[in-house]
Amino acid sequence: LSFLDYNAGWPLWPEVVELLARAHAEPLANPASLHQRGQAARARLEAAREKVADLLGCARGDVLFTSSGSEANALALKGTFLARSNPSKRGIVSSRMEHPSVLFALEQLKRHGAELTLLAPSPEGYHPAGQLNEALTEDIALCSLAFANNETGALQPVGELARTCNRRGIGFHCDAVQAAGLLPVRLGEIPADLLSLSGHKLGGPVGVGVLVARRGQPLEALVPGHQEGGRRGGTADVVGAEAFALALAICRQRQEKEAPRLAGLRDLLETEVQRRLPGVQVNGVGPRLPNTSNLAFEGVDGQALLIALDLKGLQVSHGAACASGSPKPSHVLTAMGQSDDAARSALRFSLGFLTTTADVEATVQALVEAVLQARRTLS
Ligand SMILES: Cc1ncc(COP(=O)(O)O)c(C=O)c1O
């Protein structure tokens, strides 16, 4: 029936499939090799880097290729903390709603002396700049806040948050993994010192991420080596970098038309579901990604509903994909002040470039049937 789980990973753009098939059919040398074939691979890697830098509005040397968004986040947080010039500054400010890849990295740093301040969001899932400003004391070394939340789609005012840190001389990391496929992420508007992206969240391959680390940003490599300017060791994935650059370029080309199209479909989903079912609440109303809808179904267990929908051929998500199988309620929704039961009753619907009106209509039908069935079983 329909795949409405784009926030867990997009299908590849057809142009990216072609690029991968073509590029993997040709022999490719190590881009660090001195011979001509090595240098040709190097030129291709640098061309991909240049393309990503142009799209993001930063210098070519600021773009580091990684293996994932998680690695980009870990390198940003741990690399900056390890390289800080003033060891007495141990504070890191972030949010209770961050992606687990950020929260796990922060927990590791805490075991190595970092002092964490995890801000609680508003009930709608937002962090105003004033709240951040108050948390920025003298001992803060770094701040990390995501552009778009992966579960609710809530968009933080990251431009303002970055400028708040800039004014205080504190480094700002932005996890833009969920935003970059749908919104024009540019460092001119978001003056972040560090910014993370992930290939498979924008129609590129899984296994490629990008960390933008602005010039002068102290960063200790997690994997030491001479590649990526000494900031990330390991032989570079030239084809992955090219595929990433192409996917980001395609997203950028299509965003202007695609974002309102998806917002229209998302709104159709929400209005129709709420018209046909009582007790449905939208989590995170306010500025949000055009493709994401987080809906709570009163009295229903989200995990059971997910399975019922899966059996009808509809794929959605309950909390973050990475946490599936875990019986815990979503840490994002509980951070927004929801009870465990309310958080357990929610599902995430995330739409994408292959989603059509017919998909949404079929989803509404399947959902209405499954929720009514679940509620009948309970009563
Ligand atoms: C906001 C956010 N950050 C980081 C990641 C991790 O990206 P990757 O799957 O490339 O490690 C995800 C993936 O779900 C995400 O949604």
Side-chain angles (χ1 to χ4, degrees), residues 3 25 47 97 102 172 222 281:
F3 178 81
M97 287 190 311
V102 166
F172 182 78
L222 304 185
Q281 186 204 320

Side-chain angles (χ1 to χ4, degrees), residues 7 68-70 73 99 101 148 150 175 177-178 198 200-201 322:
N7 288 10
S68 60
S70 299
N73 284 342
H99 187 265
S101 58
N150 51 303
D175 174 348
V177 163
Q178 286 294 347
S198 168
H200 72 120
K201 309 287 186 183
C322 335

Side-chain angles (χ1 to χ4, degrees), residues 329 333-334 337-345:
L333 299 178
T334 51
Q338 299 199 4
S339 67
D340 286 5
D341 278 353
R344 280 204 179 90
S345 75

Side-chain angles (χ1 to χ4, degrees), residues 2-28:
S2 327
F3 178 81
L4 295 189
D5 197 16
Y6 274 70
N7 288 10
W10 294 21
L12 295 170
W13 291 109
E15 296 91 328
V16 173
V17 175
E18 269 171 43
L19 179 149
L20 291 172
R22 220 181 324 115
H24 282 303
E26 298 157 6
L28 187 73

